[in-house]
Amino acid sequence: MMRKAKEKPPNLAIKLAGISLKNPVMVASGTFGYGEEYAQLVDLNRLGAIVAKTITLKPRLGNDPPRIVETASGVLNSIGLQNVGIDTFINEKLPFFKEYDVPLIVSIAGETTDEYVQLAKTLQGEKITGLELNLSCPNIKYKRKLMFAQNPQATHQVVSRVRKAISLPLMVKLSPNVTDIASIAKMCEEAGADGVSLINTFTGMAIDVENRKPMLRQVTGGLSGPAIKPIALRMVYEVHKAVRIPIIGIGGIMTAGDALEFIIAGAKAVAIGTGNFVDPLIPIKVIDGIREYMVNNKIKDIKSIVGRLKCPKS
Amino acid sequence: MVQVDAKILENRELGSQRYKMALSAPQIGCQAKPGQFIHVRVSKGFLPLLRRPFSVHRVQGQKIEILYKVVGKGTEILSRKKGGEYLDILGPLGKGYQLPSATSKISDIILVAGGTGVASLLFLAESISVANPELSILVLVGAKNREELLCEGDFRRLGCRVEVATENGTRGYKGLVSELLEKCLPLSGDRPKPIVFACGPSEMLKMIGKISRKHRFPCQVSLEERLACGVGACLGCVVKTKGSTYTYKRVCKDGPVFDAGELIWE
Ligand SMILES: Cc1cc2nc3c(=O)[nH]c(=O)nc-3n(C[C@H](O)[C@H](O)[C@H](O)COP(=O)(O)O)c2cc1C
Ligand code: FES
């Protein structure tokens, strides 16, 4: 009698910038707070990794409301990096993660290169898995008017200085509000980044025509959600061709199919942002959906499809 | 806080685009407090994208009720749902009304409702009358016109005194419910100050906040804001509150009920 050999379950584990992840599905900065808020609804230990809300040296109050407005298949936000600041983060938010077995990536933002370096050094001794430099928040005005991620030299400088200051795995979060995102990603690679996260939100706006007023108090904000997915995907595709460091694909991921598109375009991991607001279980459903896809398509290891887009030869 | 697929038991139009929906959600009902809300995914797809928040209007055994008015795409889709369908809901969320303690000796409780803001106040009236049957409750219900008045009978059945205001004067006092409040206040004499609970449009709450400051009575207001996550994670729903200068608090987590004195009205 023939016995069907028991299939080995597909392998979703990956190594990202030296970090071992159970699966390639993370939650994106700013959409998952400091983990506590969602812990009652989601088994945090099942997530590939958590990227915490961006923190700054000093606490920030954030922008005046309204800060959020829904648009066609998207969300505009202008939170303004409201956060408790690094000291309170370390003393009050970090201990929460001790209970969990999930990699924690801490996102930081400064107004100057020195601030990034100071933040990174402060976190070096803490129990965290990695750092993400948020060079791309569209909601705070830097002294130089541009975001770091819109200036190749500034990007190179901040990444290389932080790289020299710390040994933690180092990711850089890029802005889509640039003409050539691949060249910025290359800068990050040259400067010693271990990976790039893309993308942050697109600047956008919405208007209440009855009152001729902007829907957001700050007039403009950052667009996220399914509306930006095709552009995010194209950017991951372009960056994958340009760099060898791993890419975390972000932008409008709601389903396993969305996540797989990013993986095939070249992302080694993905992160869910706005999807958490729609259904806190989306990250878990995406993980389960990727596994099911792998079983159905006889894919043994997720790594084997990263960047394996089959383009017809021209 | 839990996430459940709740069966719709009933979705009934009350007239003038107002609906009452009953859901089977015992896990939420057993925890819910007056002023808390549920966050409802109105569509299984991604249009609209975000959930919509609704105050818990009533809890009866296994059943929770919400009361809503069709104001946009989300509520329009909700209004077409039928009994037997399921809705993905999160709840109970937020910090509700601070109930007067059973032992406190206070005079009147005044509830001020504007439009569908009445939803959470019925739940509050029920809870107060169960916990503290001695207390007398005066309810001021406001609406644009008589057709849009809600829950008057429900409050009377609980033994509350009810006064009505309509903007066009088709029933009760002609004018705003906040004006009616000022008229009803026991301003002088030895009567202790009332406690006021209010829920309705922000303009109305702002006026009631002003009245409470002027006459120095404690007042809790339940705010309505656009929400994204609903659980305190995104910081999208904040209101300005008093601090050393000011701070922002989350309507979905630190509220939706706030002390009127704590808020900085813009
Ligand atoms: C409300 C909100 C707050 C955000 N805050 C941050 C933040 O603090 N730091 C950051 O790097 N990205 C932040 N983002 C961007 C997300 O991490 C993500 O890059 C972006 O929303 C695109 O992904 P999505 O379409 O899945 O949401 C925020 C996004 C939203 C919607
Ligand atoms: S809606 Fe996200 S914090 Fe309130």
Side-chain angles (χ1 to χ4, degrees):
Chain A
M1 202 168 77
M2 291 270 285
R3 251 245 198 105
K4 210 175 148 204
K6 206 175 163 212
E7 298 272 342
K8 253 180 81 178
N11 181 23
L12 273 81
I14 57 158
K15 264 229 151 86
L16 185 83
I19 307 168
S20 299
L21 309 191
K22 296 184 222 44
N23 62 67
V25 181
M26 337 198 322
V27 287
S29 180
T31 64
F32 211 73
Y34 301 116
E36 306 156 321
E37 292 83 0
Y38 279 110
Q40 283 182 55
L41 298 168
V42 185
D43 179 359
L44 303 187
N45 289 338
R46 287 202 59 197
L47 301 173
I50 293 173
V51 188
K53 168 79 184 164
T54 300
I55 49 167
T56 51
L57 273 181
K58 297 258 155 59
R60 284 178 59 97
L61 291 169
N63 292 332
D64 276 345
R67 292 177 173 184
I68 287 260
V69 57
E70 183 169 348
T71 59
S73 297
V75 173
L76 280 167
N77 87 80
S78 69
I79 309 298
L81 283 192
Q82 177 177 341
N83 78 95
V84 296
I86 179 105
D87 292 336
T88 307
F89 173 76
I90 289 174
N91 294 329
E92 289 172 23
K93 304 293 175 183
L94 211 45
F96 169 81
F97 287 97
K98 296 219 171 81
E99 311 289 316
Y100 293 92
D101 172 31
V102 58
L104 173 67
I105 295 170
V106 177
S107 168
I108 57 174
E111 288 184 25
T112 62
T113 303
D114 285 341
E115 282 190 17
Y116 277 100
V117 173
Q118 198 181 332
L119 282 159
K121 281 185 169 160
T122 311
L123 286 162
Q124 172 72 52
E126 298 297 329
K127 253 192 93 160
I128 65 171
T129 318
L131 269 191
E132 183 173 86
L133 303 187
N134 177 3
L135 304 185
S136 50
C137 180
N139 289 314
I140 52 175
K141 288 172 191 78
Y142 292 97
K143 281 169 197 142
R144 61 191 78 214
K145 282 217 177 89
L146 283 178
M147 309 169 198
F148 278 85
Q150 287 174 319
N151 180 327
Q153 282 74 45
T155 298
H156 191 280
Q157 193 194 25
V158 69
V159 176
S160 58
R161 284 204 41 211
V162 171
R163 171 74 298 164
K164 286 186 190 111
I166 57 146
S167 58
L168 280 166
L170 181 62
M171 252 70 71
V172 183
K173 178 107 172 245
L174 301 184
S175 171
N177 302 298
V178 294
T179 39
D180 183 10
I181 195 166
S183 67
I184 308 277
K186 257 187 125 96
M187 280 291 172
C188 297
E189 182 174 46
E190 276 173 34
D194 298 311
V196 280
S197 307
L198 52 127
I199 52 179
N200 210 316
T201 52
F202 283 88
T203 45
M205 63 189 282
I207 296 171
D208 165 5
V209 292
E210 294 302 326
N211 301 304
R212 272 195 273 147
K213 281 190 177 158
M215 298 291 276
L216 295 175
R217 179 65 178 270
Q218 306 300 310
V219 184
T220 62
L223 182 64
S224 63
I228 69 170
K229 198 196 83 183
I231 319 179
L233 196 58
R234 183 265 295 172
M235 291 183 158
V236 166
Y237 172 69
E238 285 178 356
V239 169
H240 180 66
K241 287 195 290 188
V243 303
R244 303 176 72 92
I245 51 176
I247 298 165
I248 300 166
I250 315 167
I253 298 173
M254 299 286 144
T255 64
D258 295 336
L260 285 159
E261 284 190 71
F262 277 90
I263 292 169
I264 294 165
K268 197 162 184 189
V270 296
I272 315 289
T274 303
N276 295 307
F277 310 158
V278 176
D279 175 1
L281 290 179
I282 281 183
I284 305 297
K285 289 175 180 168
V286 168
I287 296 165
D288 292 341
I290 292 176
R291 182 176 296 110
E292 195 182 319
Y293 168 86
M294 290 171 72
V295 170
N296 292 343
N297 291 280
K298 304 206 161 39
I299 295 161
K300 296 202 178 63
D301 195 320
I302 190 72
K303 294 187 279 294
S304 68
I305 61 165
V306 173
R308 294 300 172 83
L309 180 68
K310 296 178 188 166
C311 288
K313 297 216 168 59
S314 51
Chain B
M1 176 194 7
V2 291
Q3 179 175 11
V4 291
D5 268 322
K7 188 173 179 180
I8 300 172
L9 302 172
E10 190 183 24
N11 190 22
R12 186 159 55 92
E13 184 170 7
L14 305 172
S16 307
Q17 291 281 71
R18 280 148 179 78
Y19 289 79
K20 183 144 97 176
M21 180 184 274
L23 294 152
S24 170
Q27 314 90 319
I28 291 177
C30 68
Q31 298 174 32
K33 300 201 171 58
Q36 289 191 302
F37 66 96
I38 60 172
H39 212 20
V40 179
R41 187 167 178 197
V42 297
S43 150
K44 287 212 164 54
F46 302 102
L47 276 174
L49 194 57
L50 297 177
R51 289 170 183 262
R52 299 291 188 265
F54 300 96
S55 295
V56 177
H57 174 47
R58 233 172 185 180
V59 177
Q60 283 178 326
Q62 309 270 304
K63 187 171 85 168
I64 60 174
E65 287 178 353
I66 58 173
L67 193 65
Y68 63 97
K69 176 184 171 186
V70 175
V71 290
K73 217 204 252 125
T75 41
E76 200 266 320
I77 293 173
L78 201 62
S79 72
R80 283 187 272 116
K81 302 272 181 201
K82 300 263 179 308
E85 292 182 57
Y86 284 80
L87 276 183
D88 167 0
I89 63 179
L90 289 174
L93 301 175
K95 190 171 123 288
Y97 298 102
Q98 216 66 48
L99 262 63
S101 70
T103 51
S104 69
K105 237 184 91 42
I106 35 166
S107 64
D108 307 313
I109 304 271
I110 306 181
L111 312 185
V112 192
T116 47
V118 75
S120 67
L121 293 173
L122 184 66
F123 188 12
L124 177 66
E126 281 177 351
S127 301
I128 294 176
S129 53
V130 168
N132 208 339
E134 319 282 82
L135 290 176
S136 84
I137 305 175
L138 168 64
V139 188
L140 311 179
V141 186
K144 286 212 173 62
N145 52 55
R146 64 179 295 166
E147 287 75 33
E148 298 194 359
L149 282 167
L150 292 165
C151 302
E152 220 189 307
D154 295 319
F155 284 115
R156 288 197 208 282
R157 270 189 292 281
L158 284 173
C160 306
R161 221 154 39 88
V162 182
E163 303 263 353
V164 167
T166 53
E167 283 173 41
N168 68 357
T170 41
R171 270 219 53 204
Y173 173 81
K174 180 172 193 257
L176 300 172
V177 72
S178 48
E179 297 161 7
L180 181 60
L181 169 66
E182 226 170 351
K183 289 196 181 304
C184 294
L185 285 175
L187 296 179
S188 56
D190 316 320
R191 296 194 61 169
K193 305 219 181 262
I195 298 187
V196 172
F197 298 87
C199 185
S202 58
E203 275 310 303
M204 167 195 140
L205 297 181
K206 191 171 165 178
M207 278 190 269
I208 290 172
K210 254 199 195 133
I211 299 170
S212 76
R213 214 165 38 245
K214 187 166 135 207
H215 298 294
R216 297 164 186 277
F217 56 78
C219 175
Q220 296 174 33
V221 297
S222 176
L223 302 182
E224 288 175 2
E225 253 303 314
R226 282 194 291 257
L227 303 185
C229 70
V231 298
C234 74
L235 310 177
C237 62
V238 300
V239 282
K240 214 175 233 183
T241 58
K242 289 173 188 159
S244 55
T245 51
Y246 64 90
T247 61
Y248 289 115
K249 286 196 173 170
R250 299 162 298 185
V251 170
C252 72
K253 185 91 179 181
D254 308 309
V257 178
F258 292 91
D259 258 327
E262 184 187 3
L263 298 169
I264 301 176
W265 302 95
E266 303 266 82

